[in-house]
Amino acid sequence: MNDSERGIARPASGRIRRELPAWAQWCTGALAPPWTVGVEEEAMLLDAGTGAPANRIDDVLAALPLDLRSRASAETHACVVEVRTVPHITVGGLADELTGLRAGLAQALTPLGLRAAAGGTHPLAREDDVDVSTDPRYREIEATMRALARREPTMALHVHVAVPDAGAAVRALDGLRADLPVLIALAANSPFWRGADSGFASMRVPVFSMFPRAGIPRQFGTYEDYVRVVERLLRSGAVREPGFLWWDARLQPRLGTVEVRMLDAATRVDDAAALAALVQCLVRRNAESRPARAPEPEVLAENRFLAARDGMRAQLVDGFGARTRPVRDQLDAILETCRPYAAALGCAGELAGVAALATDPGDVRQRRLAAVHGLERLPTLLGDAFAPERPRLAAA
């Protein structure tokens, strides 16, 4: 067998260079120009009368109009629907599309006696209330994850940012590692679990972390190293395809994006837009910067836990000092570095929304609503905020 048959290229210098496997070929601009941003949002399906989880994703997908059907899909649990935007140059455009997707979904659900809501967990759901989706992908997840796939559903917001090449993508991924705990704290929106206060700001994070191949990925340094690690898992047969790597942030070569995927689903579109703006700025900042020394994996893991537990009240371990610092101080420092990028990306307005979200985060709002109206009413109240009616113009 010669070198070409082995998938090995021998350049003029004589040095052997292995060709990338098909899954690792980096998409450069065909689907999204650099720095464009898109989101995938997982929403819970609720019985319109009771607010209970509704395991009716098949009915929902069948009822959606064609244009919305192309933007929606099943998730692991039959009481969850995912909607996804196209790539947008600005976060403002993304927010407009997401608002329209939510409104269209709400309209399609009404005749079915259903509604949608967004949050990291359903506050009341228990394992017996939910079914696994009939989609073949999720049946495979059930077969391999077993009881882990049959637990209560968790809902996330995934943010994709297109980068120009694989080298920039790895720089962004490596640089994001220290930022991920701060993002977890900011997005925390799942304080209730199984009908009780969990004591966590984001209970979704530890629940989802029961899956393998979750958490903050290690530092890779080069795209070749990233491909080598993933390819070893794929060739072993232990992991069937790269989409079964559920790291907090990962690369999506077929899309040409860096994907940040550990954010709790945001109840309001404005919150989703603020989070998307921050991620868009961080990806570009890290992609265009020299690699910085990251805290030890043990420090990052501890900060991830503290962020999920305490949200914006967390005291995170200083990566390079024997002390803790308020997560709000770290967020403020990150925002300062992101402002020039926000100006270039046209998302300064949405990035300014990060401060409002940090002051009144989703987990705090959920606890406040439950205290005033009762926990049993909370799913319905989350549904009220999913696609609020737009104000009507007064008659001329």
Side-chain angles (χ1 to χ4, degrees):
M1 181 181 293
N2 60 33
D3 285 350
S4 63
E5 290 171 324
R6 292 189 182 95
I8 299 173
R10 188 181 294 274
S13 65
R15 185 175 62 187
I16 292 177
R17 176 176 59 84
R18 293 189 179 277
E19 296 291 340
L20 292 174
W23 69 264
Q25 299 292 331
W26 195 260
C27 175
T28 55
L31 297 178
W35 319 126
T36 51
V37 58
V39 299
E40 299 163 337
E41 176 179 76
E42 296 166 352
M44 49 187 124
L45 299 171
L46 307 178
D47 181 284
T50 66
N55 297 296
R56 296 182 58 190
I57 184 59
D58 292 341
D59 295 338
V60 169
L61 294 178
L64 294 180
L66 185 60
D67 58 341
L68 185 54
R69 177 66 184 87
S70 67
R71 294 276 178 264
S73 59
E75 260 298 325
T76 302
H77 294 91
C79 58
V80 177
V81 61
E82 180 184 271
V83 295
R84 55 191 175 274
T85 71
V86 299
H88 288 270
I89 295 174
T90 67
V91 177
L94 181 153
D96 287 343
E97 184 187 4
L98 187 59
T99 299
L101 289 172
R102 285 189 174 199
L105 179 61
Q107 184 176 6
L109 292 177
T110 299
L112 300 176
L114 302 175
R115 64 191 319 206
T121 58
H122 186 291
L124 307 175
R126 295 179 179 271
E127 181 180 337
D128 292 344
D129 297 328
V130 299
D131 298 330
V132 175
S133 169
T134 59
D135 185 283
R137 172 184 174 86
Y138 301 112
R139 289 299 188 187
E140 180 178 354
I141 289 177
E142 181 185 26
T144 56
M145 298 297 103
R146 302 173 190 179
L148 300 183
R150 295 189 288 271
R151 45 81 177 152
E152 297 80 10
T154 58
M155 283 67 64
L157 175 71
H158 300 167
V159 182
H160 289 259
V161 180
V163 294
D165 56 68
V170 169
R171 287 195 298 275
L173 183 66
D174 286 348
L176 280 167
R177 295 172 68 243
D179 301 323
L180 290 172
V182 179
L183 289 170
I184 287 173
L186 180 66
N189 191 29
S190 51
F192 297 104
W193 185 50
R194 295 180 175 176
D197 193 320
S198 68
F200 277 71
S202 174
M203 189 60 191
R204 185 193 65 82
V205 168
V207 170
F208 186 80
S209 295
M210 290 190 291
F211 265 39
R213 305 179 294 279
I216 297 175
R218 73 168 177 86
Q219 189 163 356
F220 291 98
T222 66
Y223 189 58
E224 290 73 18
D225 197 28
Y226 183 91
V227 172
R228 178 185 61 80
V229 170
V230 175
E231 184 69 2
R232 180 173 296 174
L233 292 170
L234 298 178
R235 286 182 179 239
S236 73
V239 178
R240 189 174 65 81
E241 49 105 340
F244 287 176
L245 299 172
W246 294 298
W247 295 324
D248 290 351
R250 66 185 181 186
L251 306 185
Q252 287 279 21
R254 65 185 178 86
L255 302 176
T257 65
V258 175
E259 179 189 7
V260 172
R261 46 179 288 107
M262 29 51 69
L263 309 172
D264 279 5
T267 299
R268 307 181 305 198
V269 170
D270 286 350
D271 296 340
L275 291 164
L278 182 55
V279 171
Q280 185 187 32
C281 292
L282 285 172
V283 168
R284 184 165 184 177
R285 186 200 73 182
N286 287 308
E288 294 183 343
S289 302
R290 292 182 178 180
R293 184 167 68 96
E296 291 83 358
E298 295 82 3
V299 171
L300 292 178
E302 184 64 20
N303 282 343
R304 184 179 188 268
F305 166 75
L306 294 170
R309 188 188 70 185
D310 298 331
M312 287 307 301
R313 301 168 299 286
Q315 297 277 334
L316 301 187
V317 180
D318 188 306
F320 307 106
R323 64 189 179 101
T324 59
R325 293 174 56 200
V327 67
R328 184 61 188 260
D329 289 355
Q330 297 192 33
L331 176 61
D332 288 346
I334 287 172
L335 288 174
E336 188 64 30
T337 68
C338 284
R339 287 192 180 97
Y341 295 95
L345 293 166
C347 65
E350 290 79 15
L351 188 69
V354 168
L357 177 58
T359 300
D360 192 27
D363 66 297
V364 172
R365 294 199 306 266
Q366 284 203 37
R367 285 190 169 107
R368 187 166 63 238
L369 287 171
V372 173
H373 301 283
L375 184 55
E376 294 293 327
R377 285 273 299 155
L378 184 55
T380 297
L381 296 171
L382 295 176
D384 292 343
F386 183 77
E389 292 188 9
R390 300 176 182 176
R392 297 181 179 178
L393 297 176

